[in-house]
Amino acid sequence: MYAVDGITLEGGHTNESTDTLRLGLQFDFGRTLWQSDGGGAVLGGYWDAGYTHWSGLDSDSLSLTPMFTLSFPGNGGVTPFLEAGIGAAVFSESDLDNRRDLGSNFQFEDRLGAGLRFTSGAEVGLRYYHYSNAGIEEPNQGVNKAAVYYRHPI
């Protein structure tokens, strides 16, 4: 059973020149998926469940995404990492304030990120998101956002 082990607060900006605010909960996979000889690179992951308010687009969304992290532990107290994942999101509105028509409330969430993890377990980082319904419904205009975040361990 997964237990919540982190909470994230994130602020972002979309390709529609509007702001987003996201609150997320993380559930670690609980095991290492791969490790290089000597431990210089470690692949792990977590589940991320989130609520996003899309300010100016009159929509909110809920998402669930498995994230894979490639960490580069060193001898210092800061560990750089890269992350990527593809999950699902449900938007409250598919026509985002007559600016962008997503075609359906269901969207795939593609995410890339980079950050720093501190010895306390806290993280700071940058993320890029792309939402699209992958052509399941037309139109499929999608929406993108870039964000900065802080993750606090629980």
Side-chain angles (χ1 to χ4, degrees), residues 1-153:
M1 184 62 124
Y2 293 103
V4 174
D5 62 0
I7 186 167
T8 299
L9 184 60
E10 176 183 288
H13 194 72
T14 74
N15 58 320
E16 290 299 327
S17 296
T18 63
D19 296 325
T20 64
L21 187 59
R22 182 177 190 279
L23 181 64
L25 298 174
Q26 292 76 47
F27 311 83
D28 194 81
F29 287 172
R31 62 186 180 98
T32 298
L33 302 175
W34 173 82
Q35 183 170 324
S36 68
D37 292 338
V42 178
L43 182 65
Y46 62 92
W47 286 95
D48 185 272
Y51 163 80
T52 303
H53 175 69
W54 299 77
S55 178
L57 295 179
D58 292 337
S59 190
D60 298 296
S61 64
L62 295 174
S63 60
L64 181 62
T65 302
M67 295 297 298
F68 296 92
T69 59
L70 184 60
S71 300
F72 305 97
N75 295 328
V78 178
T79 301
F81 65 90
L82 301 172
E83 63 177 9
I86 298 175
V90 177
F91 281 69
S92 61
E93 301 292 330
S94 62
D95 188 0
L96 302 180
D97 196 33
N98 298 316
R99 292 179 168 185
R100 188 161 295 268
D101 191 346
L102 300 177
S104 69
N105 296 81
F106 174 81
Q107 300 290 301
F108 290 100
E109 178 185 86
D110 305 331
R111 189 187 323 176
L112 296 173
L116 299 172
R117 183 176 306 111
F118 302 95
T119 54
S120 66
E123 295 176 5
V124 293
L126 302 171
R127 290 179 175 151
Y128 173 79
Y129 294 79
H130 173 71
Y131 294 87
S132 167
N133 69 30
I136 295 171
E137 296 285 335
E138 292 295 331
N140 180 28
Q141 295 179 335
V143 66
N144 302 313
K145 74 171 178 172
V148 296
Y149 76 92
Y150 170 76
R151 178 184 183 267
H152 186 78

